[in-house]
């Protein structure tokens, strides 16, 4: 152990690093770091092959495989170490196998070589450190780097420590940042600033203001996959050499198919997966492993490790015929993140009894034999690592088997915290790859933890903010937390009302993810009410939370069609965040930009397009400044706001500017997707989807089709990898692809695309009707259009009738949200009926559409007068077809008057629509033997002429 000398003026300044033979000064609080995370790290040799055991080489602490492709990340972390700040904290995130631990380990070694006290801080050590007497007075007198892996599991301990670090006397020492800086690096699968485990560790409101000043940057830094083919090649070659496989890669360009697979395989961006592929290559060949999936590759390595354990343990005295018990013991040790000698003996005895095995020599003998196969260096059992392989071992032993639940429960009874964290990691790693068993294990853990509020909160905080596979579980867990907090908040409001409000806010989001918009709205309204009371008492502490909940309230109100209330809520959020950003711009400008973005959407939905454009332009300006300072953090937000700016400009008829904005968004997202495909390919597809629409609006139909085809291709790949998450997006792009194909006269291909979209949405609507029936109705509407275009009028009528039926059901449940859609589908039903000669029914349908749109236009004229004008135009056509020329003339005159004000205010946005109505007006007047009303028509004709002249000059 190393004792760091006491710093001048500091009562307690002890940092130790295991392994250099020094001693600790008794009685003083001390912090112990390790460079091996306390686990056995010897690389053993397989006696049969003479090669290193793959499982030992794969562990990051072995450092057996050269780290490649991380020069930029290494430089950034080195720069962070050398900041002239006394204390700084950084959060590094990334999927399993992406290389977080290895990158941190290299940083530790580099810092140690420069004289830093540097190492990993285990969860057990952090707990011991925080329980020490007078720990709040702890300090340090030398440059110190502490790394905490699996930070979510230690969020509670980190919370108190971060607050103490924020108030440490080092902040008052002008030279501390140069002489004795303290750096804390937190590693985790995922994190979201201000939410989940981040919120628990860094605090919220006033607490966040104190601790987040140490976060640099003030949001997680995501570690990108290896994207460069050269880096992937180097990593794979290094793993093959370290594993002594005797295999070598074909030279670049020698095998084009191999090069294509290596560059195009998504999992090849994770260094661990390349190492696992290398470990499997001796059996399957290099080309074979690149054709495998991640789950299969990890399974092969895990089963190889199980076979080794079964082979080694009997050779060290374990009774023969106990393979299933050996498997269980290995799985329990892995599930429990390792077992001490005493824990292992108890676990083996428990599993032997459960499986019906007799142990004549007692469980200690089997433990000793297993300790040779799975040594932890202290007589216990080490877990099988790395995590992704260890989790694959759990699936190999328990996957799809009825005894899995009881085994999980038994292990949880022995080491509840470790089991919960292992299962949570497995739930983040495997369900997205098609293995859903960990979700069942998590349910077992939740049942075991029922009534333990702190454990439930820790579990909820560890869940990803955005999750498809865990959405039902997350909602149920959050509901349980809210139920537990209600009585506590009633008896001790000062202590528990903030927690209740935060949990209600989270519950609203989780319910919304499930499509349960009504309960989601109820939850967020209660959260806003609680935060409003808290902010009245302590505005500095709770105004940020109030603004955040108002932002979410706006989203949920909008989802239920209450657009005026949604606008009111987001306006209040913007006002609060504008004040906060004026006081603390670095902390709150990002939040302000986010709410301005939402304000723009709300204003646009109510037809206030000019104000919507102003809001999104301000959001883009803020994000541009933020992205200039911190591109890694804010380029995604800039792209999102540019995407929305394009929509606003397009709605105002400024199509060239809209195209410019969406092209910039696509360019940014293309770069981001190249750096981190798993994270940003979905966003790229969304912007390509919008780009296709903007290109089509400008008549660039070939380019529009190219863009939507790329979007469909990306979303098809994503839907294969994660169908639950991306089938909805695929259906959306197929829906749009059908439109662009139709514009180019490819009607058969258009019909094929829309049929696939309908098929997907029909399946989704069966699984989750509340969430996907609206999308199904929209695609049925489009299917009807394409069938009609191909002359299949009966099928077109059948499709639109189904769409109308779905919309009627939705209107009965949520009229404010779906009356506009019902009117649209009735409008189209009228056209289909007319095509089949059923003029009376066609007239009935269009009259109902006009009636609905008339009511909507009274409620919100800016938003719905254009739609009313369109239906009045169609009503005039239907009446004229039935010979009722006077009524037809009355309807078309009303259409012209209805669209006149919106058109004159925004000619570009309504020109095409107005030309159609004027054509109908002229036809109806001619059929009636009357002249158009010059006073009504002339201002419109003049405006159209000016617009045409302007367009010609711009060309």
């Amino acid at each position: 152990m190393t004792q760091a000398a006491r710093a001048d003026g500091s009562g307690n300044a002890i940092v130790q690093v295991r392994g250099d033979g020094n001693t600790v000064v008794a009685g003083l609080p001390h912090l112990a770091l390790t460079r091996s995370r306390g686990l056995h790290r010897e690389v053993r040799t397989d006696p049969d092959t003479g090669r290193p055991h793959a499982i030992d080489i794969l562990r990051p602490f072995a450092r057996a495989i050269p780290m490649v492709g991380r020069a930029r990340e290494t430089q950034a972390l080195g720069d962070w170490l050398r900041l002239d700040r006394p204390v700084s904290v950084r959060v590094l995130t990334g999927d399993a196998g992406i290389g977080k631990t290895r990158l941190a380990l290299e940083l530790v070694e580099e810092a140690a070589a420069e004289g830093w006290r540097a190492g990993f801080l285990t969860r057990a050590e952090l707990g011991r450190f925080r329980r020490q007497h007078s720990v709040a007075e702890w300090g340090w007198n030398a440059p110190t780097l502490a790394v905490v892996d699996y930070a979510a599991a230690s969020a509670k301990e980190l919370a108190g420590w971060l607050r103490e670090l924020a108030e440490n006397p080092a902040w008052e020492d002008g030279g501390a940042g140069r002489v004795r800086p303290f750096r804390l690096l937190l590693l985790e699968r995922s994190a979201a600033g201000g939410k989940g485990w981040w919120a628990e560790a860094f605090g919220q409101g006033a607490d966040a203001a104190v601790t987040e000043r140490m976060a640099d940057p003030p949001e997680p830094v995501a570690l990108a996959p290896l994207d460069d083919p050269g880096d992937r090649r180097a990593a794979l070659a290094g793993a093959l050499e370290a594993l002594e496989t005797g295999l070598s890669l074909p030279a670049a360009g020698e095998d084009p198919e191999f090069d294509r697979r290596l560059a195009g395989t998504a999992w090849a961006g994770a260094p661990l997966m390349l190492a696992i592929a290398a470990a499997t290559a001796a059996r399957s060949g290099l080309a074979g492993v690149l054709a495998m999936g991640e789950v299969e590759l990890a399974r092969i390595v895990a089963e190889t490790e199980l076979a080794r354990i079964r082979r080694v343990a009997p050779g060290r005295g374990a009774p023969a015929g106990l393979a299933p018990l050996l498997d269980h013991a290995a799985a329990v040790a892995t599930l429990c993140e390792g077992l001490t000698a005493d824990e292992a003996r108890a676990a083996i005895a428990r599993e032997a009894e459960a499986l019906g095995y007799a142990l004549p020599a007692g469980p200690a003998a089997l433990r000793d034999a297993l300790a040779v196969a799975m040594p932890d260096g202290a007589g216990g059992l080490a877990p099988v690592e790395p995590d992704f392989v260890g989790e694959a071992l759990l699936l190999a032993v328990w996957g799809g088997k009825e005894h899995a639940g009881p085994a999980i429960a038994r292990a949880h009874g022995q080491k509840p915290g470790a089991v919960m964290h292992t299962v949570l990691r497995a739930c983040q790693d495997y369900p997205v790859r098609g293995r859903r068993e960990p979700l069942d294990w998590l349910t077992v853990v939740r049942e075991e933890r029922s009534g333990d509020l702190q454990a439930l909160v820790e579990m909820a905080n560890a869940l990803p903010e955005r999750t498809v596979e865990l959405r039902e579980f997350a909602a149920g867990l959050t509901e349980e937390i809210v139920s537990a907090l209600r009585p506590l908040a009633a008896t001790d409001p000062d202590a528990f009302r903030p927690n209740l409000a935060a949990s209600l806010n989270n519950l609203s989001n989780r319910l919304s993810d499930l499509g349960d918009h009504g309960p989601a709205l109820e939850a967020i309204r209660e959260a806003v009410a609680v935060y409003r009371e808290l902010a009245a008492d302590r505005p500095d502490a709770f105004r940020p939370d109030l603004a955040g909940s108002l932002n979410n309230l706006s989203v949920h109100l909008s989802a239920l069609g209450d657009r005026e209330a949604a606008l009111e809520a987001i306006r209040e959020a913007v006002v609060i965040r504008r004040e906060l950003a004026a006081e603390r711009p670095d902390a709150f400008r990002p939040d302000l930009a986010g709410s301005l973005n939402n304000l723009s959407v709300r204003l646009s939905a109510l037809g206030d397009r000019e104000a919507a454009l102003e809001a999104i332009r301000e959001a883009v300006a803020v994000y541009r400044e933020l992205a200039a300072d911190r591109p890694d953090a804010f380029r995604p937000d800039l792209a999102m706001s540019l995407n929305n700016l394009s929509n606003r400009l397009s709605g105002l008829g400024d199509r060239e500017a809209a195209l410019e904005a969406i092209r910039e968004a696509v360019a940014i997202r293309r770069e981001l997707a190249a750096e981190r495909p798993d994270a940003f390919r979905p966003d790229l597809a969304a912007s390509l989807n919008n780009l296709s629409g903007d290109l089509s609006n400008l008549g660039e139909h070939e380019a529009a089709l190219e863009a939507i085809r790329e979007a469909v291709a990306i979303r098809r790949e994503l839907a294969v990898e994660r169908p639950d998450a991306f089938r909805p997006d695929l259906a959306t792009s197929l829906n749009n692809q059908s439109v662009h194909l139709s514009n180019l006269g490819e009607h058969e291909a258009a019909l094929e695309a829309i049929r696939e979209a309908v098929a997907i949405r029909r399946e989704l609507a069966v699984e989750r009707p509340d969430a996907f029936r609206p999308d199904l109705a929209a695609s049925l509407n489009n299917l009807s259009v394409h069938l009609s275009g191909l002359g299949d009028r009966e099928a077109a009528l059948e499709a639109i009738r189904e769409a109308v039926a779905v919309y009627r059901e939705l209107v009965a449940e949520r009229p404010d949200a779906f009356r506009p859609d019902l009117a649209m589908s009735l409008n189209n039903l009228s056209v289909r009926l007319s095509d089949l000669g059923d003029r009376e029914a066609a007239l009935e349908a269009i009259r109902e559409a006009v009636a609905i749109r008339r009511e909507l236009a009274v409620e919100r004229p800016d938003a719905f007068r254009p739609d009313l004008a369109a239906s009045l135009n169609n009503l005039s056509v239907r009446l004229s077809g039935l010979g009722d020329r006077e009524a037809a003339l009355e309807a078309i005159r009303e259409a012209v008057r209805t669209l006149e004000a919106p058109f004159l205010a925004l000619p570009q946005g309504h020109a095409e629509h107005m030309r159609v109505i004027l054509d109908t007006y002229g036809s109806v007047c001619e059929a009636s033997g009357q002249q158009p009303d010059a006073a009504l028509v002339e201002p419109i004709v003049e405006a159209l002429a000016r617009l045409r002249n302007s367009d010609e000059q711009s060309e």
Side-chain angles (χ1 to χ4, degrees), residues 343-377:
E343 290 169 345
R345 181 190 54 76
I348 289 168
R350 188 177 60 245
E351 293 306 300
E353 180 180 359
L355 296 177
Y357 285 97
L359 297 175
L366 186 56
R367 175 205 61 196
D368 292 344
L370 275 168
V372 176
M374 306 174 65
D376 70 347

Side-chain angles (χ1 to χ4, degrees), residues 537-555:
D537 294 337
R538 296 172 57 199
D540 289 345
F542 291 108
R543 277 192 308 160
D545 297 316
L546 174 59
S549 62
L550 284 164
N551 194 90
N552 290 351
L553 174 62
S554 173
V555 172

Side-chain angles (χ1 to χ4, degrees), residues 884-931:
D884 193 347
R885 291 172 180 168
E886 287 299 324
L889 188 58
E890 181 182 349
I892 195 61
R893 279 176 176 159
E894 184 183 355
V896 175
R897 288 193 297 270
T898 299
L899 191 59
E900 178 184 19
F903 167 72
L904 293 176
L906 186 62
Q908 245 182 336
H910 300 289
E912 291 181 17
H913 192 179
M914 181 57 85
R915 289 188 185 103
V916 170
I917 289 176
L918 285 182
D919 286 345
T920 303
Y921 185 32
S923 298
V924 172
C925 285
E926 183 179 352
S928 302
Q930 299 189 35
Q931 292 296 316

Side-chain angles (χ1 to χ4, degrees), residues 613-644:
L613 180 61
E614 181 182 354
I616 194 61
R617 276 182 164 150
E618 184 180 358
V620 168
V622 174
Y623 279 134
R624 227 181 256 293
E625 292 177 8
L626 293 168
D629 293 337
R630 288 157 42 206
D632 288 346
F634 289 109
R635 277 193 307 160
D637 295 314
L638 174 59
M640 175 271 297
S641 62
L642 285 164
N643 199 89
N644 290 347

Side-chain angles (χ1 to χ4, degrees), residues 401-575:
K401 298 175 182 175
E402 60 183 17
H403 55 240
I408 300 287
R410 290 193 298 272
H412 180 274
Q414 184 173 27
K415 296 189 74 173
V419 169
M420 182 175 75
H421 299 135
T422 300
V423 171
L424 279 167
R425 290 194 296 272
C427 283
Q428 293 182 60
D429 294 341
Y430 275 91
V432 298
R433 296 171 170 91
R435 294 299 299 267
R436 301 184 62 82
E437 294 96 326
L439 302 180
D440 297 329
W441 305 344
L442 189 58
T443 300
V444 171
V445 172
R446 177 184 164 190
E447 290 170 353
E448 293 291 315
R449 289 296 186 97
S450 182
D452 185 345
L453 178 58
Q454 180 57 42
L456 295 176
V457 169
E458 184 178 345
M459 193 182 302
N461 286 342
L463 297 177
E465 179 195 358
R466 297 174 62 184
T467 172
V468 174
E469 291 76 14
L470 291 167
R471 61 192 170 200
E472 289 87 358
F473 180 88
L477 178 62
T478 311
E479 283 181 317
E480 187 175 353
I481 291 169
V482 167
S483 297
L485 282 169
R486 284 192 195 283
L488 296 172
T491 56
D492 191 353
D494 290 344
F496 289 104
R497 275 193 308 164
N499 296 331
L500 175 61
S503 293
L504 285 163
N505 189 86
N506 294 343
L507 177 59
S508 73
N509 292 332
R510 297 299 193 188
L511 290 169
S512 180
D513 289 343
L514 288 171
D516 293 340
H517 299 293
L521 179 60
E522 183 180 346
I524 195 62
R525 275 182 164 149
E526 185 178 356
V528 168
V530 176
Y531 275 133
R532 212 178 277 288
E533 294 174 1
L534 292 167
D537 294 337
R538 296 172 57 199
D540 289 345
F542 291 108
R543 277 192 308 160
D545 297 316
L546 174 59
S549 62
L550 284 164
N551 194 90
N552 290 351
L553 174 62
S554 173
V555 172
H556 298 314
L557 286 165
S558 179
L560 285 166
D562 194 347
R563 293 177 172 133
E564 288 82 359
L567 178 60
E568 181 182 353
I570 195 62
R571 274 181 165 152
E572 185 179 358
V574 167
V575 168

Side-chain angles (χ1 to χ4, degrees), residues 81-82 109-116 143:
L81 282 186
R82 295 168 185 84
E109 296 295 331
E110 176 187 337
E114 296 178 5
W116 285 59

Side-chain angles (χ1 to χ4, degrees), residues 731 734-735 737-738 741 748-758:
L734 286 165
N735 194 92
Q737 185 179 33
S738 73
L741 286 164
E748 294 292 342
L751 181 60
E752 181 182 354
I754 193 62
R755 278 183 163 150
E756 184 180 359
V758 168

